[in-house]
Amino acid sequence: MAVQPLDLDDHIAELLQARTSALMRQSRADMEALLGRDFTYINAHGEVCDRCQYLDRYCSGNGPRFLRQEMDIVRIIARDHAVAVLLDCREEIEFAGEQSNGLHRALYIFRKQADRWLWCEGQATEIRPPVV
């Protein structure tokens, strides 16, 4: 399904919602469907994950479990076959029996591959340190 330029912001917002849903449910299959082949992510601790590492860490049940994640889109910039999304993320996480919450600024890059937009790159930066 081709996305018209006027619908692009709404389509990207839907992809972000699908991403959050997959992350909250730790659904590897659903997250995998959203990621580009050469996906790279740098989390707020500076740890770099490729596609497989990201799926293993965030969708396996062995890493952090997201209890809540809310995103506010700050800006969407579209250029030909790429879209940059700047957003603020508020989240509650449980890891190793401890709960924390934090506020992050994130930059996500979506690229059009074939006829689909896929999440290809991301980086999160801590705005407010987690409260444990």
Side-chain angles (χ1 to χ4, degrees), residues 68 91-93 99-104 128-132:
R68 179 178 66 92
E91 52 198 23
E92 289 180 41
I93 300 171
Q99 287 189 9
S100 66
N101 61 57
L103 178 62
H104 299 89
R128 183 182 70 221
V131 177
V132 178

Side-chain angles (χ1 to χ4, degrees), residues 31-94:
M31 185 64 78
E32 203 166 14
L34 298 170
L35 301 181
R37 290 179 301 280
D38 297 324
F39 176 79
T40 302
Y41 183 74
I42 304 169
N43 69 20
H45 299 288
E47 299 164 330
V48 179
C49 299
D50 63 18
R51 187 177 201 268
C52 186
Q53 291 165 329
Y54 183 87
L55 291 166
D56 286 347
R57 174 172 289 193
Y58 297 104
C59 297
S60 69
N62 297 324
R65 185 169 66 94
F66 288 80
L67 305 173
R68 179 178 66 92
Q69 186 178 67
E70 297 172 1
M71 290 188 262
D72 292 320
I73 296 172
V74 176
R75 189 167 182 199
I76 295 177
I77 302 166
R79 299 278 191 265
D80 296 323
H81 298 287
V83 174
V85 182
L86 184 63
L87 43 95
D88 289 339
C89 301
R90 285 173 304 288
E91 52 198 23
E92 289 180 41
I93 300 171
E94 180 181 61

